[in-house]
């Protein structure tokens, strides 16, 4: 059999006669095109007609906006637009870094302000891309969904008049009656999960509807994810709180060390709960290449929900947060809080607290400041403020080693203090870090050599200040602190569900082939039944011919007449062939085996 240069419904048809209307498609082409119609719900692209005016151009613009090409372009623009939000400091995330950037880049900062690059995700241009993508996806999925529902409620179209014009085709002659062939084909196709019915003189069947379901699910999942992300950005909240063992926290804005939220977040959205850090437990690898790596890293807390909630205990571990309502409490950091006692010149206790110090390395070498702001008087009774620059080493290696901790656990704790007196600058109304000393108006206490007084203290030891100015004691009880991050991310579950749905929908649209099969059995001039089978897929694929060949073989085996039943010349053991299908009238035998499905 000769192979045409084109395949599928676009295969060339006989030339139209002289009476055919100019520009009209031949009847056979129209017949084949109808057989392949509605294999997809993708809208046809219209070309704007100049005579249609504003309505025509508006319809064309809507078609373009809701096309897959524009949706992909908008997704690309959205991804590109998110890049500045990752590289440039954002005002809603870190105001300090934004201020530093403005100070360091005096020329770029005004340009970035005009372009909205310091608040990318709430800028006009990013919102416009986001909204256009929403409109594009919704405008694409709604009509396609209704069209697909209509296809599900309908039936596969009838067979074309010439099945041999389809891409996959096979034929054979059988001794069974046409009615028997049709019923057997109908039963076979239904067993193979085809939607099949008798349409005129042929059986029409269709399979692979999940391909379009996956396509629509993918589009719907994108809408769900975009909605969830937008909802999460608008109503999210995230705050951090450092808590020393024995101290507590209540979920109110004033309790946070730092807090940031979405544009539509209000204080009423905070979940009412409180908790207390009872203990922090951390153990570390003592030997081997992983020495110092945490083995146990958990915080024991007592929490309650609401104003009169019952106290409950829980353990918060890394990646195992405490979930209360829509909020999640994560354990993010850990350090030490040495307990110090400061006495004035008369020996009265003016300060006694556990002072959290910030880790500088993986072995928890820590630094910070101790500030005595009120109640201190020197030896002469004058009011003054004290400040101590503090370094804490949980495992000090000794005098001949570097002044850093050798291990994160409390093996040989040392508190290194440098003492200052004067004005700490806390009364000026200018915010300052609790972990740093502003030495602008401070004077250092001097030792006997005229150097800044600096002493290494072990637990229980005391540093005396010169001239009877008082003392500071490093108490034996060393507490630990933990930093908690309280997050509220509404819509995260919907975003995860949308992402999973998008993955499965994309897989279904890529790997499932929507195809149609027709079987026609007619009685030939010599009284022998001629069976034709043809298949058509949405796209070129080897799966359709292979499946058609398999169906043809099963149907032939199930309907072939016994040897000699109708024709003594029929072969006793017909062999299935996979070569090109021969014309029905060229067979030497009244009963010929089905040829393998051919990709023409």
């Amino acid at each position: 059999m000769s192979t045409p240069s084109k395949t599928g419904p676009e295969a060339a048809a006989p030339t139209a006669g002289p009476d055919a209307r100019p520009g009209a498609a031949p009847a056979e082409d129209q017949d084949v095109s109808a057989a392949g119609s509605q294999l997809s719900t993708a809208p046809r692209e219209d070309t704007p007609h100049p005579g249609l005016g504003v309505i025509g151009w508006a319809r064309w613009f809507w078609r373009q906006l809701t096309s897959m090409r524009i949706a992909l372009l908008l997704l690309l623009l959205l991804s590109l637009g998110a890049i500045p939000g990752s590289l440039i400091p954002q005002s809603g995330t870190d105001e300090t870094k934004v201020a530093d950037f403005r100070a360091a880049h005096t020329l770029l900062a005004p340009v970035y302000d005009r372009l909205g690059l310091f608040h990318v995700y709430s800028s006009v241009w990013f919102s416009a891309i986001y909204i256009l993508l929403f409109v594009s996806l919704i405008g694409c999925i709604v009509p396609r969904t209704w069209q697909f529902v209509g296809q599900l409620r309908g039936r596969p179209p009838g067979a074309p008049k010439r099945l041999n014009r389809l891409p996959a085709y096979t034929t054979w002659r059988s001794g069974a009656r046409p009615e028997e062939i049709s019923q057997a084909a109908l039963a076979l196709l239904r067993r193979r999960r085809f939607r099949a019915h008798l349409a005129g003189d042929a059986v029409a069947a269709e399979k692979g509807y999940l391909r379009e379901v996956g396509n629509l699910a993918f589009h719907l999942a994108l809408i769900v994810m975009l909605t969830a992300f937008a909802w999460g950005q608008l109503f999210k909240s995230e705050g951090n709180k450092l808590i020393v063992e024995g101290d507590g926290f209540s979920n109110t804005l004033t309790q946070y060390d730092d807090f940031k939220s979405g544009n539509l977040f209000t204080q009423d959205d905070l979940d009412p709960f409180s908790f207390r850090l009872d203990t922090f437990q951390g153990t570390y690898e003592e030997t081997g290449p992983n020495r110092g790596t945490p083995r146990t890293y958990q915080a024991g807390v007592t929490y309650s929900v609401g104003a009169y909630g019952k106290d409950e205990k829980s353990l918060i571990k890394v990646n195992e947060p405490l979930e209360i309502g829509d909020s999640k409490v994560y354990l993010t950091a850990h350090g030490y809080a040495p307990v110090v006692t400061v006495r004035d010149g008369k020996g009265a206790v003016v300060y006694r607290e556990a002072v959290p110090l910030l880790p500088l390395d993986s072995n928890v070498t820590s630094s910070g400041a101790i500030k005595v702001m009120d109640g201190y008087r020197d030896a002469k009774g004058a009011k003054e403020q004290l400040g101590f620059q503090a370094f804490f080493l949980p495992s000090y290696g000794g005098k001949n080693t570097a002044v850093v901790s050798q291990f994160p656990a409390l093996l040989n704790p040392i508190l290194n203090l440098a003492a200052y007196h004067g004005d700490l600058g806390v009364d000026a109304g200018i915010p300052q870090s609790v972990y740093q000393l502003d030495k602008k108006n401070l004077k250092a206490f001097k030792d006997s050599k005229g150097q800044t007084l600096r002493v290494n203290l072990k637990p229980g030891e005391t540093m005396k200040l010169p001239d009877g100015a008082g003392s500071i004691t490093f108490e034996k009880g060393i507490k630990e602190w933990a930093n908690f991050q309280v997050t509220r991310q509404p819509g995260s579950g919907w975003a995860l569900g949308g992402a999973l749905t998008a993955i499965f929908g994309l897989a279904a649209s890529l790997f499932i082939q929507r195809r149609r099969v027709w079987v026609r059995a007619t009685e030939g001039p010599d009284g022998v039944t001629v069976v034709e089978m043809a298949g058509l897929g949405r796209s070129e694929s080897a799966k359709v011919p292979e499946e058609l060949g398999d169906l043809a073989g099963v149907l032939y085996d199930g309907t072939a007449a016994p040897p000699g039943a109708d024709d003594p010349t029929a072969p006793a053991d017909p062999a299935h062939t996979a070569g090109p299908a021969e014309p029905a009238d060229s067979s030497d035998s009244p009963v010929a085996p089905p040829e393998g499905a051919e990709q023409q």
Side-chain angles (χ1 to χ4, degrees):
M1 177 182 293
S2 61
T3 303
S5 60
K6 292 186 178 181
T7 62
E10 297 84 359
T15 305
D19 298 331
R21 291 179 300 167
E28 292 181 353
D29 276 354
Q30 295 177 0
D31 184 45
V32 175
S33 297
S37 64
Q38 296 183 347
L39 273 174
S40 170
T41 58
R44 298 178 181 177
E45 294 189 4
D46 294 336
T47 302
H49 194 281
L52 294 181
V54 177
I55 296 178
W57 280 102
R59 183 178 301 166
W60 175 83
F61 177 78
W62 176 253
R63 286 288 193 184
Q64 298 303 311
L65 180 60
T66 57
S67 67
M68 179 61 69
R69 179 177 62 256
I70 297 299
L72 291 175
L73 178 61
L74 291 172
L75 274 175
L76 176 62
L77 290 177
L78 196 68
S79 303
L80 293 176
I83 293 177
S86 303
L87 301 179
I88 301 173
Q90 299 296 291
S91 57
T93 303
D94 197 328
E95 294 286 355
T96 303
K97 288 186 178 181
V98 173
D100 293 342
F101 188 93
R102 292 181 188 275
H105 303 85
T106 55
L107 294 178
L108 278 179
V111 178
Y112 285 4
D113 275 326
R114 289 180 177 274
L115 296 177
L117 297 182
F118 288 123
H119 50 91
V120 168
Y121 305 111
S122 59
S123 63
V124 175
W125 57 269
F126 192 85
S127 301
I129 297 174
Y130 213 90
I131 293 173
L132 282 176
L133 182 57
F134 262 107
V135 174
S136 177
L137 289 174
I138 294 174
C140 177
I141 195 172
V142 170
R144 293 183 68 168
T145 300
W146 285 115
Q147 183 178 350
F148 183 61
V149 170
Q151 293 179 15
L152 290 178
R153 297 179 63 181
R155 289 186 172 187
K161 294 181 179 179
R162 294 184 58 183
L163 290 177
N164 60 355
R165 291 174 53 82
L166 298 181
Y169 173 79
T170 186
T171 182
W172 70 92
R173 294 156 62 86
S174 174
R177 302 298 303 164
E179 296 81 5
E180 298 174 1
I181 298 290
S182 297
Q183 291 300 321
L186 188 64
L188 171 62
L189 292 170
R190 287 177 176 174
R191 285 199 306 269
R192 296 293 182 92
R193 298 188 301 276
F194 278 83
R195 292 180 62 198
H197 70 108
L198 284 171
D201 61 343
V203 176
E206 189 169 356
K207 190 178 183 180
Y209 287 90
L210 284 179
R211 177 189 178 95
E212 196 62 31
V213 172
N215 194 8
L216 296 175
F218 176 76
H219 285 75
L220 183 61
L222 286 181
I223 296 176
V224 172
M225 285 193 294
L226 291 173
T227 304
F229 290 148
W231 186 268
Q233 288 295 318
L234 291 173
F235 292 94
K236 73 175 183 179
S237 66
E238 180 181 301
N240 290 280
K241 179 64 178 178
L242 186 150
I243 305 176
V244 179
E245 286 178 327
D247 292 346
F249 165 78
S250 179
N251 192 28
T252 60
L253 292 180
T254 56
Q255 290 277 300
Y256 284 100
D257 296 331
D258 63 82
F259 186 85
K260 55 188 178 182
S261 62
N263 295 335
L264 299 183
F265 175 85
T266 64
Q267 187 171 352
D268 295 336
D269 294 327
L270 291 172
D271 293 307
F273 68 87
S274 60
F275 66 89
R276 180 181 67 252
L277 175 61
D278 298 326
T279 59
F280 179 87
Q281 182 182 3
T283 60
Y284 309 89
E285 291 284 351
E286 298 181 358
T287 59
N290 295 324
R291 185 176 186 271
T293 302
R295 298 180 59 186
T296 304
Y297 204 81
Q298 60 188 25
V301 300
T302 300
Y303 72 95
S304 62
V305 180
Y308 306 101
K310 181 181 178 181
D311 287 347
E312 299 184 44
K313 292 189 175 294
S314 178
L315 281 178
I316 303 178
K317 302 179 181 179
V318 177
N319 296 326
E320 295 184 18
L322 171 65
E323 297 188 28
I324 304 175
D326 293 330
S327 300
K328 293 183 179 180
V329 183
Y330 290 90
L331 174 63
T332 59
H334 155 261
Y336 293 101
V339 180
V340 298
T341 301
V342 180
R343 293 177 172 83
D344 63 10
K346 295 182 179 180
V349 176
V350 294
Y351 183 92
R352 181 183 176 86
E353 287 187 18
V355 183
L357 304 179
L358 298 181
L360 301 176
D361 55 32
S362 59
N363 287 326
V364 203
T365 302
S366 307
S367 70
I370 301 171
K371 301 180 182 182
V372 182
M373 296 176 285
D374 300 311
Y376 171 76
R377 294 177 182 270
D378 61 14
K380 298 180 181 179
K383 290 184 177 181
E384 207 172 21
Q385 294 177 333
L386 294 180
F388 300 87
Q389 187 71 51
F391 289 90
F392 180 72
L393 286 68
S395 296
Y396 180 46
K399 293 183 179 180
N400 297 326
T401 61
V403 189
V404 293
S405 178
Q406 306 296 314
F407 195 73
L410 293 171
L411 301 182
N412 183 27
I414 287 293
L415 181 62
N416 179 276
L417 295 174
Y420 300 84
H421 65 101
D423 183 7
L424 294 171
V426 296
D427 299 327
I430 302 175
Q432 60 176 246
S433 172
V434 297
Y435 304 104
Q436 295 178 349
L437 277 181
D438 183 0
K439 301 176 184 177
K440 181 179 180 180
N441 299 314
L442 292 176
K443 295 180 181 180
F445 285 101
K446 303 297 182 177
D447 59 14
S448 58
K449 298 180 180 180
Q451 303 294 324
T452 299
L453 181 63
R454 183 180 292 275
V455 179
N456 285 341
L457 298 179
K458 292 184 178 181
E461 295 183 343
T462 300
M463 179 176 75
K464 296 288 186 178
L465 301 178
D467 303 325
S471 65
I472 180 170
T473 301
F474 177 21
E475 303 292 347
K476 292 184 177 180
I478 302 175
K479 293 187 177 182
E480 301 187 50
W481 59 261
N483 191 76
F484 297 93
Q485 185 180 80
V486 182
T487 63
R488 186 177 181 274
Q489 190 71 39
S492 57
W494 285 96
L496 176 60
L500 294 176
T501 302
I503 293 173
F504 288 113
L506 184 61
S509 63
L510 291 176
F511 297 109
I512 296 177
Q513 174 79 355
R514 189 171 175 186
R515 61 271 191 199
R516 289 172 178 164
V517 173
W518 293 273
V519 182
R520 177 182 287 130
T522 58
E523 186 174 331
D526 55 358
V528 178
T529 300
V530 177
V531 183
E532 293 181 286
M533 282 189 79
L536 178 64
R538 177 178 174 182
S539 58
E540 294 289 345
S541 172
K543 184 174 182 179
V544 175
E546 291 174 1
E547 185 176 38
L548 187 71
D550 177 60
L551 290 171
V554 174
L555 182 61
Y556 174 81
D557 291 338
T559 59
D566 295 324
D567 192 337
T569 64
D573 186 15
H576 294 247
T577 62
E582 299 294 338
D585 56 3
S586 65
S587 175
D588 296 330
S589 170
V591 182
E595 324 300 349
E598 176 192 4
Q599 180 97 21
Q600 296 192 26

